[in-house]
Amino acid sequence: MSIKRIEVGPRMSQAVVHGSVVYLAGQVAKGESVAAQTQAVLADIDALLAQAGTDKTKILATTIYLSDMSTFGEMNAVWDTWVSPGNTPARATVEAALATPEYKVEIVVTAAI
């Protein structure tokens, strides 16, 4: 079975397709608020899924990392308008220190093709 790498960098690929599954690296974005960062991250996820030949209706699992769990509602307000009704993935949301203090949200996605 072949492996296809998308947006390959020296440390990681933004997505890896193996068989009928695509694995996205954790996606982060700059922005003043959790809402702004979440919107930007979800747009990046849409673009990566499209490059892999799939879309958000095929997301299997998602892990969301928040630098501050008190922003859970703010992130969910954006998520709820983006996620495909009836196609919601298995999901976990945890609080974690992210790579740099400017990042408030990071989202990891695994999807079917």
Coordinates of all heavy atoms in Angstrom, one line a residue:
M1 N 0.8 -1.2 0.0 CA 0.0 0.0 0.0 C 0.9 1.2 0.0 O 1.8 1.3 0.8 CB -0.9 0.0 1.2 CG -2.2 0.7 1.1 SD -3.3 0.6 2.5 CE -3.9 -1.1 2.2
S2 N 0.6 2.2 -0.8 CA 1.4 3.4 -1.0 C 1.2 4.4 0.2 O 0.1 4.4 0.8 CB 1.2 4.0 -2.3 OG -0.1 4.6 -2.4
I3 N 2.2 5.2 0.3 CA 2.1 6.4 1.3 C 2.2 7.6 0.5 O 3.2 7.8 -0.3 CB 3.1 6.2 2.4 CG1 2.9 5.0 3.2 CG2 3.1 7.5 3.3 CD1 4.0 4.7 4.2
K4 N 1.3 8.6 0.7 CA 1.4 9.9 0.0 C 1.6 10.9 1.1 O 0.8 11.0 2.1 CB 0.2 10.2 -0.8 CG 0.1 11.6 -1.4 CD -1.2 11.8 -2.1 CE -1.4 13.2 -2.6 NZ -2.7 13.5 -3.1
R5 N 2.6 11.8 1.0 CA 2.8 12.9 2.0 C 2.5 14.2 1.3 O 2.8 14.5 0.2 CB 4.3 12.8 2.4 CG 4.6 11.5 3.1 CD 6.1 11.4 3.5 NE 6.4 10.1 3.9 CZ 6.1 9.4 5.0 NH1 5.4 10.0 5.9 NH2 6.5 8.2 5.2
I6 N 1.8 15.0 2.1 CA 1.3 16.3 1.6 C 2.0 17.4 2.4 O 2.1 17.4 3.7 CB -0.2 16.4 1.8 CG1 -0.9 15.4 0.9 CG2 -0.7 17.8 1.4 CD1 -2.4 15.2 1.2
E7 N 2.5 18.5 1.7 CA 3.2 19.6 2.3 C 4.3 19.1 3.2 O 4.3 19.3 4.4 CB 2.3 20.5 3.0 CG 1.3 21.2 2.1 CD 0.4 22.3 2.8 OE1 0.8 22.8 3.9 OE2 -0.6 22.6 2.2
V8 N 5.3 18.4 2.6 CA 6.4 17.8 3.3 C 7.4 18.8 3.7 O 7.8 19.7 2.9 CB 7.1 16.7 2.4 CG1 8.3 16.1 3.1 CG2 6.1 15.7 2.0
G9 N 7.8 18.8 5.0 CA 8.8 19.7 5.5 C 9.9 18.9 6.1 O 9.9 17.7 6.1
P10 N 11.0 19.6 6.6 CA 12.1 18.9 7.1 C 11.8 18.2 8.4 O 12.5 17.2 8.7 CB 13.1 20.0 7.4 CG 12.3 21.3 7.5 CD 11.1 21.1 6.7
R11 N 10.8 18.6 9.1 CA 10.5 17.9 10.4 C 9.3 17.1 10.4 O 9.1 16.1 11.1 CB 10.3 19.0 11.5 CG 10.0 18.5 12.9 CD 10.1 19.5 13.9 NE 11.5 19.9 14.1 CZ 11.8 21.2 14.4 NH1 10.9 22.1 14.5 NH2 13.1 21.5 14.5
M12 N 8.3 17.5 9.5 CA 7.0 16.7 9.5 C 6.3 17.1 8.2 O 6.6 18.1 7.5 CB 6.1 17.1 10.6 CG 5.7 18.6 10.7 SD 4.8 18.9 12.2 CE 3.7 20.2 11.5
S13 N 5.3 16.2 7.9 CA 4.4 16.5 6.8 C 3.1 17.0 7.4 O 2.7 16.6 8.5 CB 4.1 15.2 6.0 OG 5.3 14.7 5.4
Q14 N 2.4 17.9 6.7 CA 1.1 18.4 7.2 C 0.1 17.3 7.1 O -0.9 17.3 7.9 CB 0.7 19.6 6.4 CG 1.6 20.8 6.7 CD 1.6 21.2 8.2 OE1 0.6 21.3 8.8 NE2 2.8 21.4 8.7
A15 N 0.2 16.4 6.2 CA -0.8 15.3 6.1 C -0.1 14.1 5.5 O 0.8 14.2 4.7 CB -2.0 15.7 5.3
V16 N -0.5 12.9 5.9 CA 0.0 11.6 5.3 C -1.2 10.7 5.0 O -2.1 10.5 5.8 CB 0.9 10.9 6.3 CG1 1.4 9.6 5.7 CG2 2.1 11.8 6.6
V17 N -1.2 10.3 3.7 CA -2.3 9.4 3.3 C -1.7 8.0 3.2 O -0.7 7.7 2.6 CB -2.9 9.8 1.9 CG1 -3.9 8.8 1.4 CG2 -3.4 11.2 2.0
H18 N -2.4 7.0 3.8 CA -2.0 5.6 3.8 C -3.3 4.8 3.6 O -4.2 4.9 4.4 CB -1.3 5.2 5.0 CG -0.9 3.8 5.0 ND1 -1.5 2.8 5.8 CD2 0.1 3.1 4.3 CE1 -0.9 1.6 5.5 NE2 0.1 1.8 4.6
G19 N -3.4 4.1 2.5 CA -4.6 3.4 2.1 C -5.8 4.4 2.0 O -5.7 5.4 1.2
S20 N -6.8 4.2 2.7 CA -8.0 5.0 2.6 C -8.2 6.0 3.8 O -9.3 6.4 4.2 CB -9.3 4.2 2.5 OG -9.4 3.3 3.6
V21 N -7.0 6.3 4.5 CA -7.0 7.1 5.7 C -6.0 8.2 5.5 O -4.9 8.0 5.0 CB -6.7 6.3 7.0 CG1 -6.7 7.2 8.2 CG2 -7.8 5.2 7.1
V22 N -6.4 9.5 5.9 CA -5.5 10.6 5.9 C -5.3 11.0 7.4 O -6.3 11.2 8.1 CB -5.9 11.8 5.0 CG1 -7.3 12.3 5.4 CG2 -4.9 12.9 5.0
Y23 N -4.0 11.2 7.7 CA -3.7 11.7 9.1 C -3.1 13.1 9.0 O -2.1 13.3 8.3 CB -2.6 10.8 9.7 CG -3.0 9.3 9.7 CD1 -2.7 8.5 8.6 CD2 -3.6 8.7 10.8 CE1 -3.1 7.1 8.6 CE2 -4.0 7.4 10.8 CZ -3.7 6.6 9.7 OH -4.1 5.3 9.7
L24 N -3.7 14.0 9.6 CA -3.2 15.4 9.6 C -2.4 15.7 10.8 O -2.7 15.2 11.9 CB -4.4 16.4 9.6 CG -5.0 16.8 8.3 CD1 -5.4 15.6 7.5 CD2 -6.0 17.9 8.4
A25 N -1.3 16.4 10.6 CA -0.5 16.9 11.7 C -1.3 17.9 12.5 O -2.3 18.4 12.0 CB 0.8 17.6 11.2
G26 N -0.9 18.2 13.7 CA -1.6 19.2 14.5 C -1.6 20.5 13.8 O -0.5 21.0 13.4
Q27 N -2.7 21.2 13.6 CA -2.8 22.4 12.9 C -3.0 23.6 13.9 O -3.8 23.5 14.8 CB -4.0 22.4 12.0 CG -3.9 21.3 10.9 CD -2.7 21.5 10.0 OE1 -2.5 22.5 9.4 NE2 -1.8 20.5 10.0
V28 N -2.2 24.6 13.7 CA -2.2 25.8 14.6 C -2.3 27.0 13.6 O -1.9 26.9 12.4 CB -1.0 25.9 15.5 CG1 -1.0 24.8 16.5 CG2 0.3 25.9 14.7
A29 N -2.7 28.1 14.2 CA -2.7 29.4 13.4 C -2.6 30.6 14.3 O -2.9 30.5 15.5 CB -4.1 29.5 12.6
K30 N -2.1 31.7 13.8 CA -2.0 32.9 14.6 C -3.3 33.6 14.6 O -4.1 33.4 13.6 CB -0.9 33.8 14.0 CG 0.5 33.2 14.1 CD 1.5 34.1 13.6 CE 2.9 33.4 13.7 NZ 4.0 34.3 13.2
G31 N -3.6 34.4 15.6 CA -4.8 35.1 15.7 C -4.9 35.7 17.1 O -4.3 35.1 18.0
E32 N -5.7 36.7 17.2 CA -5.9 37.4 18.5 C -6.7 36.6 19.5 O -6.5 36.7 20.7 CB -6.5 38.8 18.3 CG -5.6 39.7 17.6 CD -4.2 39.9 18.3 OE1 -4.3 40.1 19.6 OE2 -3.2 39.9 17.7
S33 N -7.6 35.7 19.1 CA -8.5 35.0 20.0 C -8.6 33.6 19.6 O -8.1 33.1 18.6 CB -9.9 35.6 19.9 OG -10.4 35.4 18.6
V34 N -9.1 32.8 20.5 CA -9.3 31.4 20.3 C -10.3 31.2 19.1 O -10.1 30.3 18.2 CB -9.9 30.7 21.5 CG1 -10.4 29.3 21.2 CG2 -8.8 30.6 22.6
A35 N -11.3 32.0 19.0 CA -12.2 32.0 17.9 C -11.5 32.2 16.6 O -11.7 31.4 15.6 CB -13.4 33.0 18.1
A36 N -10.7 33.2 16.5 CA -10.0 33.5 15.2 C -9.0 32.4 14.9 O -8.9 32.0 13.7 CB -9.2 34.9 15.4
Q37 N -8.3 31.9 15.9 CA -7.4 30.8 15.6 C -8.1 29.5 15.2 O -7.7 28.8 14.2 CB -6.5 30.5 16.8 CG -5.5 31.6 17.0 CD -4.4 31.2 18.1 OE1 -4.3 30.0 18.5 NE2 -3.7 32.2 18.6
T38 N -9.3 29.3 15.8 CA -10.0 28.1 15.4 C -10.5 28.2 14.0 O -10.5 27.2 13.2 CB -11.2 27.9 16.4 OG1 -10.7 27.7 17.7 CG2 -12.0 26.6 16.1
Q39 N -11.1 29.4 13.6 CA -11.5 29.6 12.2 C -10.4 29.3 11.2 O -10.6 28.7 10.2 CB -12.1 31.0 12.1 CG -13.4 31.2 12.7 CD -13.8 32.6 12.7 OE1 -13.0 33.6 12.6 NE2 -15.1 32.8 12.8
A40 N -9.2 29.9 11.5 CA -8.1 29.7 10.6 C -7.6 28.2 10.6 O -7.3 27.7 9.5 CB -6.9 30.6 11.1
V41 N -7.6 27.6 11.7 CA -7.2 26.2 11.7 C -8.2 25.3 10.9 O -7.8 24.4 10.1 CB -7.0 25.6 13.2 CG1 -7.0 24.1 13.2 CG2 -5.8 26.3 13.8
L42 N -9.5 25.5 11.1 CA -10.5 24.8 10.4 C -10.4 25.0 8.9 O -10.6 24.1 8.1 CB -11.9 25.0 11.0 CG -12.1 24.6 12.4 CD1 -13.4 25.0 12.9 CD2 -11.9 23.1 12.6
A43 N -10.1 26.2 8.5 CA -9.9 26.5 7.0 C -8.7 25.7 6.5 O -8.7 25.2 5.4 CB -9.7 28.0 6.8
D44 N -7.6 25.6 7.3 CA -6.4 24.9 6.9 C -6.8 23.4 6.8 O -6.3 22.7 5.9 CB -5.3 25.1 7.9 CG -4.7 26.5 7.8 OD1 -4.9 27.2 6.8 OD2 -3.9 26.9 8.8
I45 N -7.5 22.9 7.8 CA -8.0 21.5 7.7 C -8.8 21.2 6.5 O -8.5 20.2 5.8 CB -8.7 21.1 9.0 CG1 -7.8 21.1 10.2 CG2 -9.5 19.8 8.9 CD1 -8.4 21.0 11.6
D46 N -9.7 22.1 6.2 CA -10.5 21.9 4.9 C -9.6 21.8 3.7 O -9.7 20.9 2.8 CB -11.4 23.1 4.7 CG -12.7 23.0 5.5 OD1 -13.1 21.9 5.9 OD2 -13.3 24.1 5.8
A47 N -8.6 22.7 3.6 CA -7.6 22.7 2.5 C -6.8 21.4 2.4 O -6.6 20.8 1.4 CB -6.7 23.9 2.6
L48 N -6.3 21.0 3.6 CA -5.5 19.7 3.6 C -6.3 18.5 3.3 O -5.9 17.6 2.5 CB -4.8 19.5 5.0 CG -3.7 20.5 5.3 CD1 -3.3 20.4 6.7 CD2 -2.5 20.1 4.4
L49 N -7.6 18.5 3.8 CA -8.4 17.3 3.4 C -8.7 17.3 1.9 O -8.7 16.2 1.3 CB -9.7 17.4 4.2 CG -9.6 17.1 5.7 CD1 -10.9 17.4 6.4 CD2 -9.1 15.7 6.0
A50 N -8.9 18.5 1.3 CA -9.2 18.6 -0.1 C -8.0 18.1 -0.9 O -8.1 17.3 -1.9 CB -9.5 20.0 -0.5
Q51 N -6.8 18.4 -0.4 CA -5.6 17.9 -1.1 C -5.5 16.4 -1.0 O -4.9 15.8 -1.9 CB -4.3 18.6 -0.5 CG -4.1 20.0 -0.9 CD -2.8 20.5 -0.2 OE1 -1.8 20.1 -0.6 NE2 -3.0 21.5 0.7
A52 N -6.0 15.9 0.0 CA -5.9 14.4 0.2 C -7.1 13.7 -0.5 O -7.1 12.5 -0.5 CB -6.0 14.1 1.7
G53 N -8.0 14.5 -1.0 CA -9.1 13.9 -1.8 C -10.3 13.5 -0.9 O -11.1 12.6 -1.2
T54 N -10.5 14.3 0.2 CA -11.6 14.0 1.1 C -12.1 15.4 1.6 O -11.8 16.4 1.2 CB -11.2 13.0 2.2 OG1 -12.4 12.6 2.9 CG2 -10.2 13.6 3.2
D55 N -13.0 15.3 2.6 CA -13.6 16.5 3.2 C -14.0 16.3 4.7 O -13.9 15.1 5.1 CB -14.7 17.1 2.4 CG -15.9 16.2 2.3 OD1 -16.3 15.6 3.3 OD2 -16.4 15.9 1.2
K56 N -14.5 17.3 5.3 CA -14.9 17.2 6.7 C -16.0 16.2 7.0 O -16.1 15.8 8.2 CB -15.2 18.6 7.3 CG -16.4 19.2 6.7 CD -16.6 20.6 7.2 CE -17.7 21.3 6.6 NZ -17.8 22.7 7.0
T57 N -16.8 15.8 6.0 CA -17.8 14.8 6.3 C -17.3 13.4 6.5 O -18.0 12.6 7.0 CB -18.8 14.7 5.1 OG1 -18.1 14.2 3.9 CG2 -19.4 16.1 4.7
K58 N -16.0 13.3 6.2 CA -15.3 11.9 6.4 C -14.4 11.9 7.6 O -13.6 11.0 7.7 CB -14.6 11.6 5.1 CG -15.5 11.6 3.9 CD -15.9 10.2 3.5 CE -16.8 10.2 2.3 NZ -16.4 10.8 1.1
I59 N -14.4 12.9 8.4 CA -13.5 12.9 9.6 C -13.9 11.8 10.6 O -15.1 11.7 10.9 CB -13.5 14.3 10.3 CG1 -12.9 15.4 9.4 CG2 -12.7 14.2 11.6 CD1 -13.0 16.8 10.0
L60 N -13.0 11.0 11.0 CA -13.2 9.9 11.9 C -13.0 10.3 13.3 O -13.7 9.9 14.2 CB -12.3 8.7 11.5 CG -12.4 8.2 10.1 CD1 -11.2 7.2 9.8 CD2 -13.7 7.6 9.9
A61 N -11.9 11.0 13.6 CA -11.5 11.3 14.9 C -10.8 12.7 15.0 O -10.0 13.0 14.0 CB -10.6 10.3 15.5
T62 N -11.0 13.4 16.0 CA -10.3 14.7 16.2 C -9.9 14.9 17.7 O -10.6 14.5 18.6 CB -11.3 15.9 15.9 OG1 -11.8 15.7 14.6 CG2 -10.7 17.2 16.1
T63 N -8.7 15.4 17.8 CA -8.2 15.8 19.2 C -7.9 17.3 19.1 O -7.2 17.8 18.2 CB -6.9 15.0 19.6 OG1 -7.2 13.6 19.5 CG2 -6.5 15.4 21.0
I64 N -8.5 18.0 20.1 CA -8.4 19.4 20.1 C -7.6 19.8 21.4 O -8.0 19.3 22.5 CB -9.7 20.1 20.1 CG1 -10.5 19.8 18.9 CG2 -9.6 21.7 20.3 CD1 -11.9 20.3 18.8
Y65 N -6.5 20.5 21.2 CA -5.7 21.0 22.4 C -6.0 22.4 22.6 O -5.8 23.2 21.6 CB -4.2 20.7 22.1 CG -3.9 19.3 21.8 CD1 -3.9 18.7 20.6 CD2 -3.7 18.4 22.9 CE1 -3.6 17.4 20.3 CE2 -3.4 17.1 22.7 CZ -3.3 16.6 21.4 OH -3.1 15.2 21.2
L66 N -6.3 22.8 23.8 CA -6.5 24.2 24.2 C -5.5 24.6 25.2 O -5.2 23.9 26.1 CB -7.9 24.5 24.7 CG -9.1 24.2 23.8 CD1 -10.4 24.3 24.6 CD2 -9.1 25.2 22.7
S67 N -4.9 25.8 25.0 CA -3.9 26.2 26.0 C -4.6 26.6 27.3 O -4.0 26.7 28.4 CB -3.1 27.4 25.5 OG -3.9 28.5 25.3
D68 N -5.9 26.9 27.3 CA -6.7 27.3 28.5 C -8.1 26.7 28.3 O -8.8 27.2 27.4 CB -6.7 28.8 28.6 CG -7.4 29.3 29.8 OD1 -8.1 28.5 30.5 OD2 -7.3 30.5 30.1
M69 N -8.5 25.8 29.1 CA -9.8 25.1 29.0 C -10.9 26.1 29.2 O -12.0 25.8 28.8 CB -9.9 23.9 30.0 CG -11.0 23.0 29.7 SD -11.1 22.3 28.0 CE -10.0 20.9 28.2
S70 N -10.7 27.3 29.8 CA -11.8 28.2 30.0 C -12.2 28.8 28.6 O -13.3 29.4 28.6 CB -11.3 29.4 30.9 OG -10.4 30.2 30.2
T71 N -11.5 28.5 27.5 CA -11.9 29.0 26.2 C -12.6 27.9 25.4 O -12.9 28.0 24.2 CB -10.7 29.4 25.4 OG1 -9.8 28.3 25.2 CG2 -9.9 30.6 26.1
F72 N -13.0 26.8 26.1 CA -13.7 25.7 25.5 C -15.0 26.1 24.8 O -15.2 25.7 23.6 CB -14.0 24.7 26.6 CG -14.7 23.4 26.1 CD1 -14.0 22.4 25.4 CD2 -16.0 23.1 26.4 CE1 -14.6 21.3 25.0 CE2 -16.6 22.0 26.0 CZ -15.9 21.0 25.3
G73 N -15.8 27.0 25.4 CA -17.0 27.5 24.8 C -16.8 28.3 23.6 O -17.5 28.2 22.6
E74 N -15.7 29.1 23.6 CA -15.4 30.0 22.5 C -15.0 29.2 21.3 O -15.4 29.4 20.1 CB -14.3 30.9 22.9 CG -13.9 31.9 21.8 CD -12.7 32.8 22.3 OE1 -12.3 32.8 23.4 OE2 -12.2 33.6 21.4
M75 N -14.2 28.1 21.5 CA -13.7 27.2 20.4 C -14.9 26.5 19.9 O -15.1 26.4 18.7 CB -12.7 26.3 21.0 CG -12.2 25.2 20.0 SD -13.2 23.8 19.8 CE -13.2 23.1 21.4
N76 N -15.8 26.0 20.8 CA -16.9 25.2 20.4 C -17.9 26.0 19.5 O -18.6 25.5 18.6 CB -17.7 24.6 21.6 CG -17.2 23.2 21.9 OD1 -16.7 22.5 21.1 ND2 -17.3 22.8 23.2
A77 N -18.0 27.3 19.8 CA -18.9 28.1 19.0 C -18.5 28.1 17.6 O -19.4 28.1 16.7 CB -19.0 29.5 19.6
V78 N -17.2 28.2 17.3 CA -16.7 28.1 15.9 C -16.9 26.7 15.4 O -17.3 26.5 14.3 CB -15.3 28.6 15.9 CG1 -14.7 28.5 14.5 CG2 -15.2 30.1 16.4
W79 N -16.4 25.7 16.2 CA -16.5 24.3 15.7 C -17.9 23.9 15.3 O -18.1 23.3 14.3 CB -16.0 23.4 16.9 CG -16.2 22.0 16.6 CD1 -17.3 21.2 16.9 CD2 -15.3 21.1 16.0 NE1 -17.1 19.9 16.5 CE2 -15.9 19.8 15.9 CE3 -14.0 21.2 15.4 CZ2 -15.2 18.7 15.4 CZ3 -13.4 20.1 14.9 CH2 -14.0 18.9 14.8
D80 N -18.9 24.3 16.1 CA -20.3 23.9 15.9 C -20.8 24.5 14.6 O -21.7 23.8 14.0 CB -21.2 24.3 17.1 CG -20.9 23.5 18.3 OD1 -20.3 22.5 18.3 OD2 -21.4 24.0 19.4
T81 N -20.3 25.6 14.1 CA -20.8 26.1 12.8 C -20.1 25.5 11.7 O -20.5 25.6 10.5 CB -20.6 27.7 12.8 OG1 -19.2 28.0 12.8 CG2 -21.4 28.4 13.9
W82 N -18.9 24.9 11.9 CA -18.1 24.3 10.9 C -18.4 22.8 10.7 O -18.5 22.3 9.6 CB -16.6 24.5 11.2 CG -15.7 23.8 10.3 CD1 -15.3 24.3 9.0 CD2 -15.0 22.6 10.5 NE1 -14.4 23.4 8.5 CE2 -14.2 22.3 9.3 CE3 -15.0 21.6 11.5 CZ2 -13.4 21.2 9.2 CZ3 -14.3 20.5 11.4 CH2 -13.5 20.3 10.2
V83 N -18.5 22.0 11.8 CA -18.6 20.6 11.7 C -19.9 20.2 10.9 O -20.9 20.9 10.9 CB -18.6 19.9 13.1 CG1 -19.9 20.2 13.8 CG2 -18.2 18.5 13.0
S84 N -19.8 19.1 10.1 CA -20.9 18.6 9.3 C -21.9 18.0 10.1 O -21.7 16.9 10.7 CB -20.3 17.7 8.2 OG -21.4 17.1 7.5
P85 N -23.2 18.5 10.2 CA -24.2 17.9 11.0 C -24.5 16.5 10.5 O -24.5 16.2 9.3 CB -25.4 18.8 10.7 CG -24.9 20.1 10.2 CD -23.6 19.7 9.5
G86 N -24.6 15.6 11.5 CA -24.8 14.2 11.2 C -23.5 13.4 10.9 O -23.6 12.2 10.7
N87 N -22.4 14.1 10.8 CA -21.1 13.5 10.5 C -20.1 13.9 11.5 O -18.9 14.0 11.2 CB -20.6 13.9 9.1 CG -21.5 13.5 8.0 OD1 -21.8 12.3 7.9 ND2 -22.1 14.4 7.2
T88 N -20.5 14.1 12.7 CA -19.6 14.5 13.8 C -18.6 13.4 14.1 O -19.0 12.3 14.2 CB -20.3 15.0 15.0 OG1 -21.2 14.0 15.4 CG2 -21.1 16.3 14.7
P89 N -17.3 13.7 14.3 CA -16.3 12.7 14.5 C -16.3 12.3 16.0 O -16.8 13.1 16.9 CB -15.0 13.3 14.1 CG -15.3 14.8 14.4 CD -16.7 15.0 14.1
A90 N -15.6 11.2 16.3 CA -15.2 11.0 17.7 C -14.2 12.1 18.0 O -13.5 12.6 17.2 CB -14.5 9.7 17.8
R91 N -14.3 12.7 19.3 CA -13.5 13.8 19.6 C -13.1 13.9 21.1 O -13.9 13.4 21.9 CB -14.4 15.1 19.3 CG -13.6 16.4 19.4 CD -14.5 17.6 19.2 NE -14.7 18.2 20.4 CZ -15.2 19.5 20.6 NH1 -15.6 20.1 19.5 NH2 -15.4 20.0 21.8
A92 N -11.9 14.4 21.3 CA -11.4 14.6 22.6 C -10.9 16.1 22.6 O -10.3 16.5 21.6 CB -10.3 13.7 23.0
T93 N -11.1 16.7 23.8 CA -10.6 18.1 23.9 C -9.8 18.1 25.3 O -10.4 17.7 26.3 CB -11.7 19.1 23.9 OG1 -12.4 19.0 22.7 CG2 -11.1 20.5 24.0
V94 N -8.6 18.6 25.2 CA -7.7 18.6 26.4 C -7.0 19.9 26.5 O -6.8 20.6 25.5 CB -6.7 17.4 26.4 CG1 -7.4 16.1 26.4 CG2 -5.8 17.5 25.2
E95 N -6.6 20.3 27.7 CA -5.8 21.4 28.0 C -4.4 21.0 27.9 O -4.0 20.0 28.5 CB -6.2 22.1 29.3 CG -5.4 23.3 29.6 CD -5.8 24.0 30.9 OE1 -6.9 24.6 30.9 OE2 -5.0 23.9 31.9
A96 N -3.5 21.8 27.2 CA -2.1 21.5 27.1 C -1.3 22.7 26.8 O -1.8 23.6 26.2 CB -1.9 20.4 26.0
A97 N -0.1 22.7 27.2 CA 0.8 23.8 26.8 C 1.2 23.5 25.4 O 1.6 22.4 25.0 CB 2.1 23.8 27.7
L98 N 1.0 24.5 24.5 CA 1.2 24.4 23.1 C 2.7 24.8 22.8 O 3.4 25.3 23.6 CB 0.2 25.1 22.3 CG -1.3 24.6 22.5 CD1 -2.2 25.4 21.7 CD2 -1.4 23.1 22.3
A99 N 3.1 24.7 21.5 CA 4.5 24.9 21.1 C 5.0 26.3 21.5 O 6.1 26.4 21.9 CB 4.6 24.7 19.6
T100 N 4.2 27.3 21.4 CA 4.5 28.7 21.8 C 3.3 29.3 22.4 O 2.2 29.0 22.1 CB 5.0 29.6 20.6 OG1 3.9 29.8 19.7 CG2 6.2 28.9 19.9
P101 N 3.5 30.3 23.3 CA 2.4 30.9 24.0 C 1.4 31.6 23.0 O 0.2 31.8 23.4 CB 3.1 32.0 24.9 CG 4.4 31.5 25.1 CD 4.8 30.8 23.8
E102 N 1.8 32.0 21.8 CA 0.9 32.6 20.9 C -0.2 31.7 20.4 O -1.3 32.1 20.0 CB 1.6 33.3 19.7 CG 2.2 32.3 18.8 CD 3.0 32.9 17.6 OE1 2.6 34.0 17.1 OE2 4.0 32.3 17.3
Y103 N 0.0 30.4 20.4 CA -1.0 29.4 20.0 C -1.9 29.1 21.1 O -1.5 28.7 22.2 CB -0.3 28.1 19.5 CG 0.5 28.3 18.3 CD1 1.8 27.8 18.2 CD2 0.1 29.1 17.2 CE1 2.6 27.9 17.1 CE2 0.9 29.3 16.1 CZ 2.1 28.7 16.0 OH 2.9 28.9 14.9
K104 N -3.2 29.2 20.8 CA -4.2 29.0 21.8 C -5.0 27.7 21.6 O -5.7 27.1 22.4 CB -5.2 30.1 21.9 CG -4.5 31.5 22.2 CD -5.5 32.6 22.1 CE -4.9 34.0 22.3 NZ -3.7 34.2 22.9
V105 N -5.0 27.2 20.3 CA -5.7 26.0 19.9 C -4.9 25.2 18.9 O -4.2 25.8 18.0 CB -7.1 26.3 19.4 CG1 -7.0 27.2 18.1 CG2 -7.9 25.1 19.1
E106 N -4.9 23.9 19.0 CA -4.3 23.0 18.0 C -5.2 21.9 17.8 O -5.8 21.3 18.7 CB -2.9 22.5 18.5 CG -2.2 21.6 17.5 CD -0.8 21.3 17.9 OE1 -0.3 21.9 18.9 OE2 -0.2 20.4 17.3
I107 N -5.4 21.5 16.5 CA -6.4 20.5 16.2 C -5.7 19.4 15.3 O -5.1 19.7 14.3 CB -7.6 21.1 15.5 CG1 -8.3 22.1 16.3 CG2 -8.6 19.9 15.1 CD1 -9.5 22.8 15.7
V108 N -5.9 18.2 15.7 CA -5.4 17.0 15.0 C -6.6 16.2 14.4 O -7.6 16.0 15.2 CB -4.6 16.1 15.9 CG1 -4.1 14.9 15.2 CG2 -3.4 16.9 16.5
V109 N -6.5 15.8 13.2 CA -7.7 15.1 12.5 C -7.2 13.9 11.8 O -6.1 13.9 11.2 CB -8.3 16.1 11.5 CG1 -9.3 15.4 10.5 CG2 -9.0 17.2 12.2
T110 N -8.0 12.8 11.9 CA -7.8 11.6 11.1 C -9.1 11.5 10.3 O -10.2 11.6 10.9 CB -7.6 10.4 11.9 OG1 -6.4 10.6 12.7 CG2 -7.4 9.1 11.1
A111 N -9.0 11.2 9.0 CA -10.2 11.2 8.1 C -10.1 10.0 7.1 O -9.0 9.6 6.7 CB -10.5 12.5 7.4
A112 N -11.3 9.5 6.7 CA -11.4 8.5 5.7 C -11.3 9.2 4.3 O -11.6 10.4 4.2 CB -12.7 7.7 5.8
I113 N -10.9 8.5 3.3 CA -10.8 9.1 1.9 C -12.0 8.5 1.2 O -12.4 7.4 1.3 CB -9.5 8.7 1.3 CG1 -8.4 9.2 2.1 CG2 -9.5 9.2 -0.2 CD1 -7.4 10.1 1.5

